[in-house]
Amino acid sequence: MSPGAVLRTLSVRVPATTANLGPGFDCLGMALQLFNTFTLRLGEPFAIRVTGEAAEVLPKTEDNAVIQAMDRLFAEAGASRAAMPSFALEVDNQIPVSSGLGSSASAIVGGLVLGNALLEAFVPDRKLSRDVLLRLATELEGHPDNVAPALYGGGVLAFHDRAGLRTTEVPIPPNLRFVAATPEFALPTELARRVLPKAYPRDEAVENVAQCARLMLALLKPDLDLLRGGVLDHFHEPYRKPLVPGADEVERAAMAAGAYAVTLSGAGPTLLAWCKPDVAVRVADEMTLAWRNAGTPCRALVLRPVHGETRAHWKFESTGDEV
């Protein structure tokens, strides 16, 4: 590299997400204030460096989910990674892996957004729309409830109709806080999906519709008292909670400390307590204590929703060498 040369870096911060929000199985999700950061350092030989959560186990080869997402995007656009400048990928991983907080969705969305920014810079006529990014992310993840809020921010309802896959914003009242209590064990999504039944009794399906309508009204009005007593679900939580030892005790502790409701975040094992700001720290403490009493160390974070689309940003850095 010549003296005084400039290194170009391209970075994106992708938020953690919580999927389902209780009864909104595979269609509701929300972005939370916890981030993975993905950075491309252009002009460097291909390499992947990972810091933070699970740094020692995440793939540092082309099997990495970020690279896989980029390659999928390039194929969709009729381009290729080989036609782009060489780069090293740096991953600062702050979202726990296999925790129900959208770690895989963040990698997929990060790769797609970075790849699309490269297209815009080097072959702008091949840049893809946000709708296409969502479709690709959904294909890679298998469902849109995590990837949609990771891409668009805020609360999101994703649904299919005759026009295809569509999303709409779900308003999250500003006086809500979320305590994400994550025990120190992983729950692979594949296992959590295998325990789900293929069919449900009609009365349970009807009740889930009612609970989802209740949740939407509570958020839209807003009337958070509608959430009191907990938001019930019959589609996934009764089957997944047995895979999370201590979940019932932790939920009871959160409710006793003043939480409106507790939902299983995605496939788990993270439990998400919905709270007023003035009780959130107490709820976090009581959830942590309850899990420790059940024999499991736990980390509890008080999080706000994150709003705004996920976008990549360029930065130019001098090497510091004299010309």
Side-chain angles (χ1 to χ4, degrees):
M1 186 176 290
S2 61
V6 171
L7 295 172
R8 287 185 294 182
T9 65
L10 179 63
S11 295
V12 62
R13 285 203 320 165
V14 186
T17 50
T18 181
N20 303 320
L21 307 187
F25 181 59
D26 275 5
C27 63
L28 286 175
M30 177 175 56
L32 295 172
Q33 198 176 37
L34 180 67
F35 299 91
N36 284 347
T37 303
F38 308 98
T39 301
L40 302 182
R41 298 182 67 84
L42 272 63
E44 294 190 7
F46 179 80
I48 299 177
R49 298 183 282 271
V50 183
T51 57
E53 296 280 342
E56 68 284 355
V57 299
L58 290 176
K60 298 175 180 65
T61 66
E62 296 191 353
D63 291 334
N64 187 283
V66 179
I67 302 300
Q68 293 289 304
M70 293 178 70
D71 287 345
R72 177 68 183 87
L73 176 125
F74 292 146
E76 180 77 16
S80 71
R81 183 156 42 98
M84 299 293 161
S86 63
F87 61 79
L89 168 65
E90 297 177 351
V91 178
D92 178 24
N93 205 62
Q94 297 302 313
I95 303 171
V97 173
S98 297
S99 67
L101 288 171
S103 176
S104 64
S106 78
I108 289 168
V109 169
L112 293 174
V113 172
L114 288 174
N116 213 34
L118 289 177
L119 290 179
E120 183 178 23
F122 296 102
V123 278
D125 59 317
R126 295 184 184 271
K127 178 187 175 185
L128 303 180
S129 70
R130 303 293 281 190
D131 288 345
V132 174
L133 294 191
L134 177 61
R135 174 175 62 78
L136 295 177
T138 301
E139 291 173 3
L140 290 166
E141 179 76 348
H143 36 89
D145 50 356
N146 279 118
V147 294
L151 184 62
Y152 294 128
V156 179
L157 168 65
F159 58 94
H160 290 85
D161 61 15
R162 293 182 181 86
L165 175 62
R166 298 175 59 196
T167 63
T168 189
E169 178 186 2
V170 174
I172 308 297
N175 58 333
L176 261 179
R177 296 293 181 272
F178 299 89
V179 177
T182 304
E184 287 190 6
F185 61 84
L187 178 56
T189 302
E190 297 80 10
L191 173 60
R193 285 205 164 256
R194 282 203 304 269
V195 301
L196 301 181
K198 296 186 181 300
Y200 299 91
R202 179 183 295 181
D203 60 340
E204 292 184 359
V206 170
E207 180 61 26
N208 246 67
V209 172
Q211 292 292 329
C212 206
R214 167 197 184 189
L215 173 62
M216 291 298 96
L217 284 173
L219 298 176
L220 285 164
K221 292 181 76 170
D223 180 4
L224 298 182
D225 281 338
L226 275 174
L227 298 176
R228 289 197 184 277
V231 182
L232 301 180
D233 167 76
H234 295 286
F235 284 172
H236 70 107
E237 290 194 358
Y239 306 96
R240 288 170 166 170
K241 277 188 176 179
L243 303 176
V244 185
D248 290 337
E249 293 86 347
V250 174
E251 180 175 352
R252 285 194 292 268
M255 298 294 285
Y260 289 115
V262 176
T263 55
L264 189 64
S265 186
T270 295
L271 294 181
L272 194 77
W274 303 48
C275 312
K276 293 187 296 184
D278 59 348
V279 303
V281 172
R282 182 167 76 244
V283 168
D285 289 343
E286 292 301 318
M287 294 177 81
T288 301
L289 179 60
W291 233 316
R292 286 179 178 168
N293 288 340
T296 302
C298 161
R299 177 176 63 177
L301 300 174
V302 178
L303 301 173
R304 295 171 181 257
V306 171
H307 299 281
E309 292 188 350
T310 295
R311 296 189 178 277
H313 301 280
W314 287 97
K315 183 178 180 182
F316 297 86
E317 300 178 354
S318 171
T319 63
D321 297 331
E322 293 185 3
V323 178

